[in-house]
């Protein structure tokens, strides 16, 4: 049964992301003192008193701020361009929610924006069996001092019966709030094992990662913009494709280390790196018009460091003037630049026109299947013995590496353990040769092979 969904909504800078991180018991949402930092929805699983539910963080909802030039709190750089989209993201979360945590700032007091949001939330409620749905719990945050807690009674004017006075940054009051929350949630909060295939969409800023996700889903799940750096959090989206559950993780663009701005963007890059860590397959999106740049190879290196499978997606192929040899020549160029990943498949697409986007998920799932392949020990030893007969290992200090036998000790990723006479005699070029011999029999498409050595 699907887990209940709880949405945290409110105007910018009331501490929604801090509350989200407090409930998640780890830092997931990017937190910044500048209003407008959170743009896309974030979701994570929370358990309280045996009840499991998903909680969604949303962008700030401020109906009084419709664009630049208003006398409102300063938004983070560029965020005024996203006001309407932030509102849409929050409203989508409200539509999906089984309960709402309407968060306000106890230090600022009641504002016109709070009143308008409260009114819109009440209008969104439906009456089910004489009970308003979804239930709304008003959360007065930033109540660290006694005076602020005493002044919180002014928020009763917003018309909500359930009010919880908390400090998300310190955690005070959140336990009582959660006790009340789980009482109003519908049944169905049992914990489920996540067996979905995790696919992370990674790449430099502005290569079309969010556009690709939206084209795959056929809905505006994340904000899409031509401005680099729009997606600053990792966004998980679940779907079922050909009866296979999939979790797609859209991430912020990864810039060169020296180009990363402090604060919000720094955490965005960390978020993208963590997305790679928890993925099974990474879709490395490259801008066809720019070609392979050094940062593309750096990101490919991050993926390889985590031993993740990968598909290289050449996006914006519609912008390239082509003849019968263009794709072949571009493929050679990609192979040359990513020569340490010669096993990866390359797919040329256009996320805008939809060209070949329908091939992305089938190819990613095929790569995931290859990641789970386990070879019999007898087959591995036949490959190793033939490889040594064809090309013995070069000598080192007059001694030769001898491989006695090998076996695959795990998959995900495929890991081969070789028993040798002296592991110090092994050179990486010869191990690369052994890997290539294995791939001739079992390609492990898009998947790195980890080779371990043990002196016997």
């Amino acid at each position: 049964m699907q887990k209940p969904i709880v949405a945290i909504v409110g105007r910018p800078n009331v501490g929604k992301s801090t509350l989200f991180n407090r409930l998640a018991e780890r830092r997931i949402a990017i937190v910044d003192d500048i209003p407008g930092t959170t743009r896309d929805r974030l979701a994570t699983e929370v358990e309280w008193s045996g009840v499991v539910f998903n909680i969604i963080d949303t962008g700030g909802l401020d109906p009084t701020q419709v664009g630049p030039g208003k006398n409102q709190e300063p938004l983070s750089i560029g965020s005024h361009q996203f006001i309407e989209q932030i509102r849409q993201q929050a409203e989508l979360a409200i539509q999906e929610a089984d309960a709402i945590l309407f968060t306000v700032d106890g230090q600022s007091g009641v504002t016109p924006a709070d009143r308008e949001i409260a009114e819109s939330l009440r209008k969104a409620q439906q009456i089910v069996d004489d009970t308003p749905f979804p239930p709304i719990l008003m959360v007065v945050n930033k109540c660290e001092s006694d005076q602020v807690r005493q002044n919180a009674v002014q928020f009763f004017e917003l018309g909500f019966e359930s009010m919880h006075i908390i400090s998300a940054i310190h955690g005070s009051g959140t336990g009582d709030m959660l006790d009340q929350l789980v009482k109003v949630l519908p049944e169905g909060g049992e914990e489920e094992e996540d067996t979905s295939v995790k696919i992370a969409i990674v790449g430099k800023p502005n290569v079309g990662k969010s556009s690709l996700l939206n084209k795959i889903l056929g809905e505006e799940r994340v904000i899409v913009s031509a401005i680099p750096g729009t997606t600053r959090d990792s966004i998980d989206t679940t779907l079922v494709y050909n009866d296979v559950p999939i979790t797609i993780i859209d991430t912020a663009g990864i810039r060169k280390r020296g180009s990363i701005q402090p604060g919000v963007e720094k955490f965005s890059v960390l978020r993208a790196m963590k997305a790679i860590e928890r993925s099974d397959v990474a879709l490395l999106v490259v801008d066809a018009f720019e070609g392979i740049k050094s940062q593309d190879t750096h990101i490919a290196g991050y993926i390889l460091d985590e031993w993740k499978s990968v598909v290289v997606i050449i996006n914006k192929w519609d912008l390239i003037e082509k003849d019968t040899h263009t794709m072949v020549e571009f493929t050679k160029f990609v192979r040359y630049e990513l020569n340490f990943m010669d096993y990866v498949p390359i797919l040329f697409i256009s996320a805008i026109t939809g060209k070949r986007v329908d091939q992305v998920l089938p190819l990613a799932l095929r790569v995931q299947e290859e990641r789970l392949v386990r070879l019999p020990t007898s087959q591995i030893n036949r490959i190793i013995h033939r490889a040594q007969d064809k090309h013995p290992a070069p000598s080192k200090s007059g001694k030769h590496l001898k491989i006695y036998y090998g076996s695959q000790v795990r998959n995900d990723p495929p890991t081969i353990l070789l028993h040798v006479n002296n592991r110090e005699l092994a050179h990486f070029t010869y191990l690369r040769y052994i890997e290539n011999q294995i791939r001739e029999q079992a390609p492990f498409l898009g998947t790195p092979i980890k080779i371990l050595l043990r002196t016997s």
Side-chain angles (χ1 to χ4, degrees), residues 48-49 99 101 135-138 161-164 173-185:
W48 185 259
S49 298
L101 298 179
I136 299 173
L137 280 64
M138 187 168 62
E161 295 182 1
S162 178
M163 183 174 75
H164 297 273
T174 56
D176 292 338
M177 179 197 71
L178 285 169
D179 287 339
Q180 178 63 26
L181 176 62
V182 296
K183 289 179 181 178
V184 301
L185 288 177

Side-chain angles (χ1 to χ4, degrees), residues 95-218:
Q95 293 172 10
E96 297 172 358
D98 296 296
I100 293 172
L101 298 179
F102 173 33
T103 309
V104 294
D105 185 341
Q107 296 179 5
S108 299
V110 180
T111 67
D114 293 328
R115 294 187 181 96
E116 290 198 33
I117 295 171
E119 181 63 24
S120 64
L121 289 176
R122 279 193 293 268
K123 289 180 178 179
Q125 280 184 314
Q126 299 177 352
I127 303 300
V128 180
D129 297 330
D130 297 326
T131 303
F133 183 85
I136 299 173
L137 280 64
M138 187 168 62
V139 179
V140 186
N141 190 26
K142 302 186 181 181
C143 295
E144 284 80 34
S145 69
D146 291 337
Q147 182 177 355
V148 174
R149 285 193 290 270
Q150 292 171 5
N151 292 337
V153 295
Q154 64 183 294
F155 287 96
F156 276 119
E157 75 167 78
L158 297 177
F160 297 101
E161 295 182 1
S162 178
M163 183 174 75
H164 297 273
I165 301 172
I166 73 163
S167 168
I169 196 168
H170 294 148
S172 61
T174 56
D176 292 338
M177 179 197 71
L178 285 169
D179 287 339
Q180 178 63 26
L181 176 62
V182 296
K183 289 179 181 178
V184 301
L185 288 177
E187 295 182 359
E190 67 272 11
E191 188 170 3
E192 299 175 359
E193 182 182 0
D194 184 3
T195 59
S196 63
V197 178
K198 311 298 187 304
I199 301 176
I201 305 177
V202 299
K204 297 184 304 182
N206 207 29
V207 294
K209 300 183 298 297
S210 296
S211 297
L212 172 59
L213 174 58
N214 288 336
K215 183 63 69 172
I216 290 175
L217 298 177

Side-chain angles (χ1 to χ4, degrees), residues 244-289:
V244 178
I246 296 174
T247 299
I248 301 181
I249 311 165
D250 184 31
T251 63
I254 305 175
R255 301 178 188 270
K256 292 181 180 179
R257 186 179 300 273
S259 302
I260 297 173
Q261 299 298 317
V264 174
E265 188 176 3
K266 178 180 178 182
F267 286 112
S268 297
V269 174
L270 293 176
R271 205 69 11 88
M273 302 304 300
K274 291 182 178 179
I276 292 174
E277 291 177 11
R278 61 192 180 94
S279 68
D280 300 305
V281 180
L283 303 180
L284 174 56
V285 184
V286 175
D287 189 325
F289 197 72

Side-chain angles (χ1 to χ4, degrees), residues 293-314:
K293 301 295 184 181
S294 60
Q295 188 60 5
D296 296 308
T297 60
H298 292 158
I299 298 170
Y302 294 147
I303 299 171
L304 184 58
D305 288 343
E306 298 298 328
W307 297 95
K308 302 301 180 180
S309 301
V310 62
V311 177
V312 176
I313 304 293
I314 309 298

Side-chain angles (χ1 to χ4, degrees), residues 38-78:
T38 302
R39 290 174 178 163
D40 289 318
R41 285 177 291 161
L42 285 170
T44 192
E45 185 179 276
V46 174
E47 186 273 333
W48 185 259
S49 298
V51 178
V52 180
F53 55 93
N54 286 322
I55 194 157
I56 298 177
D57 184 26
T58 66
L61 189 66
D62 190 348
T64 65
Q65 173 101 33
V66 295
K70 295 289 182 181
N71 259 339
Q72 300 293 327
E73 299 173 84
L75 291 173
S76 62
I77 297 173

